[in-house]
Amino acid sequence: MKHSNYLDKEQLILKKQGIKRIFFYRICGTGMGAAAILLKEAGYTVEGGDIQFKPPMSDYLKSTQIPLVDLKEVELDYLRSFDLIVVGNVVSKKSPDAKLIEDLGINFCSFPASLGAFILKEKKVIGVSGTHGKTTTTYFMSQVFKNLGFNPGYFIGGVLSDGPCANLGGSDYFFIESDEYDSAYFEKYSKFLNYEIDDLVLTSLEFDHADIYSNLEEIKSQFRRLLSQLNDDGVIIANSDYESILSLYREYTKKDNWLFYSEDRASGLKIVEGKSGEDSQKTIFNLLIEKKVYQFETNLIGIQNILNLSSVILFAVSEGISIEKIQKAILNLKMVKKRQEEKGFFQGARVVDDFAHHPRAIRMTIDSIKKKYKNDEVVVALEPCSATSRSSLFQKEYVEVLSTVNTVILVEPQSQTTAKNYDQLDCNKLVEDLRGEDKRIYLVKEISALKESLKKEAMLGKVILFLSNGQFLGLWESDFSTSLNA
């Protein structure tokens, strides 16, 4: 494999003045699309290509007027007309795409390196990292600081209902979802190491991404590298509910810049119903800040959301913003799409869609939905899609978290796991382990069986909670009713 034209972040910075035209190869990935949007906003001529153009990213890219081409039909001379090719992580080392890119003779890089070199170098970068909650917390950060009167930049790995998933902003603040997954086939280290991070939020730290990491210690090593890059005045906002995070803290020599939040520190959660019912629900909670307890109110529901919001509050406090201003700024916040998102109704049952695929996130999401719709029975439909979630790693943990509901619809994974040290998830065993006198468990492999199981369970007084980072066998191509009576 030829790497003579590969540029890392530091080399990109040196060649920055000579780069004007940039092509994004496999642009329709969430991160790639967001990066393309930022570079176009920064003044670069940006175009891109892919082999499939699926909404919502494809529709959004078209709305930004970024020209798109079909890579199955692209001319090599066209690609050679660019100064730089940004390569998506979906391109594998031994693929024909990798060979094509390397043979072009054009400089190429990863999208995290392009962000670090062209966007983040001059910003005050707040990286939001961790196994769970990165997307949601980054969105909360951007909303709260906008409500506080700033015009922050942001990069969010999800689809928003009220604007672009990435924006340069007009202030020094830049909030970026900071993933521990590797950057590209030619750059086998975490994306966040490219991001010029000044301050860090660490929401959680568990074993995940079993296709590239062998154990939790390997993931922690990436976080150690990130922590070593922070300046001495950088603030670290961390969730102390995780022993893995506390172990990193104990290793860290400078400890006075760590600020902690946890379920114990965010106490006294109380859901208050408004006059119009669920749509006006709010949560009142207490948060321990610098040895003093303050009360806050927000429209967000569920412990996971409150913990994510706690990190935002602590960061704002560390920036010298008053408690009174923060209290006003968090009253009404929006969620990213596919995070406890109401999709409509199916035979009278409310349909909620969520990204959760790790057992701990699944547990917290189920708990949040039970609290929000306290008068309804929750039916869980789970589709394990990621390499880790469809492996045997979570075999026992799935039983524990799914035992908290009476009805489970399990979608058998459509492909074999690529996890390094684990077998395929045994769905038949999972179904047997979940069975009980009052349990209804379905194992489905095709869209027709999925719809049949839904028809049996969907009725007034139930909430169907879809949990997946995939598309449920194409179910989302069908329409749910927009109202209960439709």
Side-chain angles (χ1 to χ4, degrees):
M1 303 291 279
K2 301 174 184 177
H3 289 77
S4 58
N5 295 311
Y6 156 60
L7 301 179
D8 64 17
K9 181 185 68 178
E10 300 307 320
Q11 291 169 321
L12 281 172
I13 292 171
L14 293 175
K15 293 178 177 287
K16 182 177 178 179
Q17 297 305 316
I19 296 173
K20 306 297 181 185
R21 286 171 45 81
I22 302 175
F23 185 84
F24 278 72
Y25 199 98
R26 300 300 296 272
I27 192 172
C28 283
T30 304
M32 286 282 283
I37 291 164
L38 284 178
L39 266 63
K40 183 178 188 294
E41 193 178 350
Y44 294 92
T45 299
V46 174
E47 300 184 27
D50 216 311
I51 58 174
Q52 294 184 45
F53 297 90
K54 291 184 177 181
M57 183 52 71
S58 60
D59 291 343
Y60 185 72
L61 287 170
K62 289 176 183 176
S63 74
T64 65
Q65 298 183 326
I66 292 176
L68 303 176
V69 298
D70 189 335
L71 291 176
K72 296 189 292 293
E73 302 173 359
V74 71
E75 296 288 339
L76 298 185
D77 285 343
Y78 165 74
L79 293 177
R80 291 192 182 103
S81 71
F82 291 88
D83 303 314
L84 180 70
I85 294 180
V86 179
V87 184
N89 204 12
V90 69
V91 176
S92 61
K93 181 178 180 180
K94 297 181 180 180
S95 67
D97 286 328
K99 186 178 188 307
L100 181 152
I101 291 164
E102 292 169 6
D103 287 346
L104 281 172
I106 303 298
N107 288 329
F108 62 90
C109 70
S110 69
F111 90 72
S114 72
L115 288 176
F118 302 144
I119 303 295
L120 303 176
K121 192 70 176 174
E122 307 304 322
K123 293 283 189 178
K124 177 180 174 60
V125 181
I126 299 89
V128 181
S129 67
T131 311
H132 322 295
K134 295 183 291 294
T135 304
T136 301
T137 304
T138 309
Y139 189 32
F140 289 167
M141 283 278 192
S142 67
Q143 291 179 81
V144 169
F145 272 72
K146 183 178 180 180
N147 293 343
L148 287 167
F150 299 95
N151 181 19
Y154 58 84
F155 177 97
I156 298 170
V159 179
L160 313 184
S161 59
D162 63 343
C165 55
N167 192 284
L168 278 181
S171 72
D172 288 339
Y173 288 113
F174 195 98
F175 301 105
I176 184 166
E177 179 176 342
S178 301
D179 192 358
E180 69 272 25
Y181 204 82
D182 56 16
S183 300
Y185 77 86
F186 47 80
E187 208 166 77
K188 304 303 285 185
Y189 52 82
S190 293
K191 294 184 181 75
F192 55 44
L193 296 176
N194 279 304
Y195 287 164
E196 300 285 332
I197 292 173
D198 297 294
D199 303 287
L200 179 67
V201 174
L202 187 44
T203 66
S204 47
L205 186 49
E206 296 190 271
F207 183 47
D208 200 1
H209 307 308
D211 51 331
I212 61 171
Y213 297 114
S214 297
N215 49 53
L216 178 59
E217 190 60 29
E218 287 188 3
I219 300 177
K220 288 172 67 176
S221 70
Q222 295 293 306
F223 280 91
R224 290 187 183 98
R225 289 179 64 183
L226 176 58
L227 289 169
S228 71
Q229 292 181 356
L230 301 183
N231 294 327
D232 287 343
D233 58 352
V235 173
I236 302 161
I237 314 289
N239 186 341
S240 60
D241 287 329
Y242 294 82
E243 172 56 31
S244 52
I245 291 178
L246 293 176
S247 69
L248 291 177
Y249 168 72
R250 289 190 289 268
E251 296 172 11
Y252 204 71
T253 53
K254 190 174 185 296
K255 300 186 186 300
D256 58 358
N257 59 341
W258 287 70
L259 301 174
F260 290 106
Y261 64 101
S262 65
E263 290 195 36
D264 287 340
R265 288 178 170 88
S267 60
L269 272 68
K270 182 170 63 174
I271 298 176
V272 179
E273 300 283 352
K275 292 181 180 179
S276 59
E278 292 164 351
D279 291 336
S280 61
Q281 282 181 324
K282 61 184 179 181
T283 301
I284 297 173
F285 67 101
N286 301 319
L287 185 62
L288 179 64
I289 305 173
E290 297 176 348
K291 298 181 179 180
K292 187 174 179 180
V293 176
Y294 297 88
Q295 187 175 88
F296 295 90
E297 178 184 314
T298 181
N299 64 314
L300 303 173
I301 305 295
I303 184 61
Q304 184 65 60
N305 287 326
I306 299 304
L307 287 173
N308 292 336
L309 183 59
S310 296
S311 71
V312 180
I313 294 169
L314 288 181
F315 177 71
V317 169
S318 76
E319 290 295 290
I321 299 169
S322 71
I323 295 293
E324 291 75 19
K325 288 183 178 179
I326 298 170
Q327 287 170 328
K328 294 177 182 178
I330 69 169
L331 286 172
N332 291 290
L333 301 176
K334 297 177 181 178
M335 296 285 288
V336 179
K337 282 184 174 294
K338 205 169 169 58
R339 269 66 175 185
Q340 299 179 26
E341 180 189 5
E342 290 194 13
K343 302 292 288 189
F345 296 87
F346 184 71
Q347 293 186 173
R350 191 184 303 270
V351 176
V352 178
D353 186 22
D354 197 272
F355 189 79
H357 57 282
H358 189 286
R360 186 162 183 154
I362 291 172
R363 176 180 64 80
M364 288 186 163
T365 301
I366 291 173
D367 180 68
S368 296
I369 296 302
K370 283 183 173 180
K371 284 183 168 62
K372 185 172 184 178
Y373 308 103
K374 59 184 181 181
N375 296 323
D376 295 336
E377 179 187 345
V378 176
V379 175
V380 170
L382 172 66
E383 181 189 39
C385 283
S386 71
T388 311
S389 66
R390 65 179 187 265
S391 77
S392 59
L393 172 63
F394 298 142
Q395 187 82 42
K396 293 182 179 179
E397 291 176 88
Y398 280 145
V399 176
E400 293 175 8
V401 297
L402 295 175
S403 294
T404 62
V405 294
N406 290 329
T407 306
V408 175
I409 302 170
L410 177 65
V411 176
E412 188 165 309
Q414 300 299 290
S415 57
Q416 291 295 306
T417 182
T418 53
K420 288 184 175 182
N421 300 317
Y422 296 91
D423 297 324
Q424 185 80 351
L425 177 70
D426 189 336
C427 291
N428 290 313
K429 178 171 172 45
L430 178 54
V431 168
E432 288 304 313
D433 289 343
L434 285 170
R435 288 203 189 280
E437 289 184 7
D438 59 345
K439 304 284 186 181
R440 295 182 301 281
I441 315 296
Y442 302 84
L443 177 60
V444 300
K445 301 178 182 180
E446 299 176 348
I447 185 68
S448 58
L450 174 59
K451 288 184 176 181
E452 283 303 313
S453 63
L454 289 172
K455 288 176 182 177
K456 290 178 181 178
E457 294 299 331
M459 61 190 70
L460 192 65
K462 289 190 178 183
V463 175
I464 303 173
L465 173 60
F466 289 92
L467 299 173
S468 173
N469 58 341
Q471 295 296 322
F472 266 95
L473 303 175
L475 181 68
W476 301 121
E477 296 175 6
S478 61
D479 293 328
F480 296 110
S481 302
T482 56
S483 66
L484 181 60
N485 298 318

